[in-house]
Coordinates of all heavy atoms in Angstrom, one line a residue:
A316 N -3.8 21.2 0.5 CA -2.4 21.6 0.3 C -1.5 21.1 1.4 O -0.4 20.6 1.2 CB -2.2 23.1 0.0
L317 N -1.9 21.3 2.6 CA -1.2 20.9 3.8 C -1.0 19.3 3.8 O 0.0 18.8 4.2 CB -1.8 21.4 5.1 CG -1.7 22.9 5.3 CD1 -2.6 23.3 6.5 CD2 -0.3 23.3 5.5
F318 N -2.1 18.7 3.5 CA -2.1 17.2 3.5 C -1.1 16.7 2.4 O -0.3 15.8 2.7 CB -3.5 16.7 3.2 CG -3.5 15.2 3.1 CD1 -3.6 14.4 4.3 CD2 -3.5 14.5 2.0 CE1 -3.6 13.1 4.3 CE2 -3.6 13.1 1.9 CZ -3.6 12.4 3.1
M319 N -1.1 17.4 1.3 CA -0.2 17.0 0.2 C 1.3 17.2 0.6 O 2.2 16.5 0.2 CB -0.5 17.7 -1.1 CG -1.9 17.2 -1.7 SD -2.1 15.4 -1.9 CE -0.7 15.0 -2.9
E320 N 1.5 18.3 1.3 CA 2.9 18.5 1.8 C 3.4 17.4 2.7 O 4.5 16.9 2.6 CB 3.0 19.8 2.6 CG 3.0 21.1 1.8 CD 3.0 22.3 2.6 OE1 3.6 22.3 3.8 OE2 2.5 23.4 2.2
R321 N 2.5 16.9 3.6 CA 2.8 15.8 4.5 C 3.0 14.5 3.7 O 3.9 13.7 3.9 CB 1.8 15.6 5.5 CG 1.8 16.7 6.6 CD 1.0 16.4 7.8 NE 1.4 15.3 8.5 CZ 0.6 14.3 9.0 NH1 -0.7 14.4 8.9 NH2 1.1 13.3 9.6
F322 N 2.2 14.3 2.6 CA 2.3 13.2 1.8 C 3.6 13.1 1.1 O 4.3 12.1 1.0 CB 1.1 13.2 0.8 CG 0.8 11.8 0.1 CD1 -0.1 10.9 0.7 CD2 1.5 11.4 -1.0 CE1 -0.3 9.7 0.2 CE2 1.3 10.2 -1.6 CZ 0.4 9.3 -1.0
D323 N 4.0 14.3 0.6 CA 5.3 14.4 -0.1 C 6.5 14.1 0.9 O 7.5 13.5 0.5 CB 5.5 15.8 -0.7 CG 4.6 15.9 -2.0 OD1 4.2 14.9 -2.5 OD2 4.4 17.1 -2.4
E324 N 6.3 14.5 2.1 CA 7.3 14.2 3.2 C 7.5 12.7 3.3 O 8.6 12.2 3.4 CB 7.0 14.8 4.5 CG 7.1 16.3 4.6 CD 6.6 16.9 5.9 OE1 6.4 16.1 6.9 OE2 6.3 18.1 6.0
L325 N 6.3 12.0 3.3 CA 6.3 10.6 3.4 C 7.1 10.0 2.2 O 7.9 9.1 2.4 CB 4.9 10.0 3.4 CG 4.7 8.5 3.3 CD1 5.4 7.8 4.5 CD2 3.3 8.2 3.1
L326 N 6.8 10.5 1.0 CA 7.5 9.9 -0.2 C 9.0 10.1 -0.1 O 9.7 9.3 -0.6 CB 6.9 10.6 -1.4 CG 5.5 10.1 -1.9 CD1 5.0 10.9 -3.0 CD2 5.6 8.6 -2.3
M327 N 9.4 11.2 0.4 CA 10.8 11.5 0.5 C 11.5 10.7 1.6 O 12.7 10.3 1.5 CB 11.1 13.0 0.7 CG 10.8 13.8 -0.5 SD 11.2 15.6 -0.5 CE 10.6 16.1 1.1
S328 N 10.8 10.6 2.8 CA 11.5 9.9 3.9 C 11.5 8.4 3.9 O 12.4 7.7 4.4 CB 10.9 10.4 5.2 OG 9.5 9.9 5.3
L329 N 10.5 7.8 3.2 CA 10.3 6.4 3.2 C 11.5 5.6 2.6 O 12.0 4.6 3.2 CB 9.0 6.0 2.5 CG 8.5 4.5 2.8 CD1 8.3 4.3 4.3 CD2 7.2 4.3 2.1
P330 N 12.1 6.1 1.5 CA 13.2 5.3 1.0 C 14.4 5.4 1.9 O 15.3 4.5 1.9 CB 13.5 6.1 -0.4 CG 12.3 6.8 -0.7 CD 11.6 7.1 0.6
K331 N 14.5 6.5 2.7 CA 15.7 6.6 3.6 C 15.5 5.7 4.8 O 16.5 5.2 5.4 CB 15.9 8.1 4.0 CG 16.1 9.0 2.8 CD 16.1 10.4 3.2 CE 16.2 11.3 2.0 NZ 15.8 12.7 2.3
I332 N 14.3 5.7 5.3 CA 14.0 4.9 6.6 C 12.8 4.0 6.4 O 11.7 4.3 6.9 CB 13.8 5.9 7.8 CG1 14.9 6.9 7.8 CG2 13.8 5.1 9.1 CD1 14.6 8.0 8.8
P333 N 12.9 3.0 5.6 CA 11.7 2.2 5.2 C 11.0 1.5 6.4 O 9.8 1.2 6.4 CB 12.2 1.1 4.3 CG 13.7 1.1 4.4 CD 14.1 2.4 5.0
E334 N 11.8 1.3 7.5 CA 11.1 0.6 8.7 C 10.3 1.6 9.5 O 9.5 1.2 10.4 CB 12.2 -0.1 9.5 CG 13.3 0.8 10.1 CD 14.4 1.2 9.1 OE1 14.5 0.6 8.1 OE2 15.2 2.0 9.5
D335 N 10.4 2.9 9.3 CA 9.6 3.9 10.0 C 8.4 4.2 9.2 O 8.4 5.0 8.3 CB 10.5 5.1 10.2 CG 9.7 6.2 11.1 OD1 8.8 5.8 11.7 OD2 10.1 7.3 11.1
R336 N 7.3 3.4 9.5 CA 6.1 3.5 8.7 C 5.0 4.2 9.4 O 3.8 4.2 9.0 CB 5.7 2.1 8.3 CG 6.7 1.5 7.4 CD 6.2 0.2 6.9 NE 7.3 -0.4 6.1 CZ 7.4 -1.7 5.8 NH1 6.5 -2.5 6.3 NH2 8.4 -2.1 5.1
H337 N 5.2 4.9 10.6 CA 4.2 5.5 11.3 C 3.5 6.6 10.6 O 2.3 6.8 10.6 CB 4.7 6.0 12.7 CG 5.1 4.9 13.6 ND1 4.3 4.0 14.1 CD2 6.4 4.5 13.9 CE1 5.0 3.1 14.8 NE2 6.3 3.4 14.7
L338 N 4.3 7.5 9.9 CA 3.7 8.5 9.1 C 2.8 8.0 8.0 O 1.7 8.5 7.7 CB 4.8 9.4 8.5 CG 4.3 10.6 7.6 CD1 3.3 11.5 8.3 CD2 5.5 11.4 7.0
G339 N 3.3 6.9 7.4 CA 2.5 6.2 6.3 C 1.2 5.7 6.8 O 0.1 5.9 6.2
Q340 N 1.2 5.1 8.0 CA -0.1 4.6 8.6 C -1.0 5.8 8.8 O -2.2 5.7 8.4 CB 0.2 4.0 9.9 CG 0.9 2.6 9.9 CD 1.2 2.1 11.3 OE1 0.7 2.6 12.3 NE2 2.2 1.2 11.4
D341 N -0.5 6.8 9.3 CA -1.4 8.0 9.6 C -1.9 8.6 8.3 O -3.1 8.9 8.2 CB -0.5 9.1 10.3 CG -1.4 10.3 10.7 OD1 -2.5 10.1 11.2 OD2 -0.9 11.4 10.4
M342 N -1.0 8.7 7.3 CA -1.5 9.3 6.0 C -2.5 8.5 5.3 O -3.5 9.0 4.8 CB -0.3 9.5 5.1 CG 0.8 10.5 5.6 SD 0.2 12.1 6.0 CE -0.3 12.7 4.4
I343 N -2.3 7.2 5.2 CA -3.3 6.3 4.6 C -4.6 6.3 5.3 O -5.7 6.4 4.7 CB -2.7 4.8 4.4 CG1 -1.5 4.8 3.6 CG2 -3.8 3.9 3.9 CD1 -1.6 5.3 2.1
C344 N -4.6 6.3 6.6 CA -5.8 6.3 7.4 C -6.5 7.7 7.1 O -7.8 7.7 7.0 CB -5.6 6.1 8.9 SG -5.1 4.4 9.3
Q345 N -5.8 8.7 7.0 CA -6.4 10.0 6.7 C -7.0 10.1 5.4 O -8.0 10.7 5.2 CB -5.3 11.1 6.9 CG -5.0 11.5 8.3 CD -4.2 12.8 8.3 OE1 -4.4 13.7 7.6 NE2 -3.2 12.8 9.2
V346 N -6.4 9.4 4.4 CA -7.0 9.3 3.1 C -8.5 8.8 3.2 O -9.4 9.3 2.6 CB -6.2 8.5 2.1 CG1 -7.0 8.2 0.8 CG2 -4.9 9.2 1.8
F347 N -8.6 7.7 4.0 CA -10.0 7.1 4.2 C -10.9 8.1 4.8 O -12.1 8.1 4.5 CB -9.8 5.8 5.0 CG -9.4 4.6 4.1 CD1 -8.1 4.4 3.9 CD2 -10.4 3.8 3.6 CE1 -7.7 3.3 3.1 CE2 -10.0 2.7 2.8 CZ -8.7 2.5 2.6
H348 N -10.4 8.8 5.8 CA -11.3 9.7 6.5 C -11.6 11.1 5.8 O -12.7 11.6 5.8 CB -10.7 10.0 7.9 CG -10.7 8.8 8.8 ND1 -11.8 8.2 9.3 CD2 -9.7 8.0 9.2 CE1 -11.5 7.1 10.0 NE2 -10.2 7.0 9.9
R349 N -10.5 11.6 5.2 CA -10.6 12.9 4.5 C -11.2 12.8 3.1 O -11.8 13.8 2.6 CB -9.2 13.6 4.4 CG -8.6 13.9 5.7 CD -7.2 14.3 5.6 NE -7.0 15.5 4.7 CZ -6.8 16.7 5.2 NH1 -6.7 16.9 6.5 NH2 -6.7 17.7 4.3
Y350 N -11.0 11.7 2.4 CA -11.3 11.6 1.0 C -12.1 10.3 0.8 O -11.7 9.4 0.0 CB -10.1 11.6 0.1 CG -9.2 12.7 0.4 CD1 -8.0 12.6 1.1 CD2 -9.5 14.0 -0.1 CE1 -7.1 13.6 1.3 CE2 -8.6 15.1 0.1 CZ -7.5 14.9 0.8 OH -6.6 15.9 1.1
P351 N -13.3 10.1 1.5 CA -14.0 8.8 1.4 C -14.4 8.5 -0.1 O -14.6 7.3 -0.4 CB -15.2 9.0 2.3 CG -15.3 10.5 2.4 CD -14.0 11.1 2.3
Q352 N -14.5 9.5 -0.9 CA -14.9 9.3 -2.3 C -13.9 8.5 -3.1 O -14.2 8.0 -4.1 CB -15.3 10.6 -3.0 CG -14.1 11.6 -3.2 CD -13.9 12.5 -2.0 OE1 -13.9 12.2 -0.9 NE2 -13.5 13.8 -2.4
I353 N -12.7 8.4 -2.6 CA -11.6 7.7 -3.3 C -11.1 6.5 -2.5 O -10.2 5.8 -2.9 CB -10.5 8.6 -3.8 CG1 -9.7 9.1 -2.6 CG2 -10.9 9.6 -4.8 CD1 -8.3 9.6 -2.9

Side-chain angles (χ1 to χ4, degrees):
L317 292 173
F318 182 79
M319 292 310 301
E320 282 179 30
R321 289 191 63 222
F322 198 91
D323 288 342
E324 287 174 19
L325 170 65
L326 284 172
M327 289 187 311
S328 69
L329 196 57
K331 298 172 190 164
I332 311 169
E334 60 279 352
D335 185 16
R336 298 188 181 156
H337 297 290
L338 177 58
Q340 288 174 18
D341 183 48
M342 297 302 295
I343 297 299
C344 289
Q345 281 189 43
V346 168
F347 278 86
H348 295 290
R349 295 170 61 102
Y350 309 103
Q352 67 272 39
I353 64 161

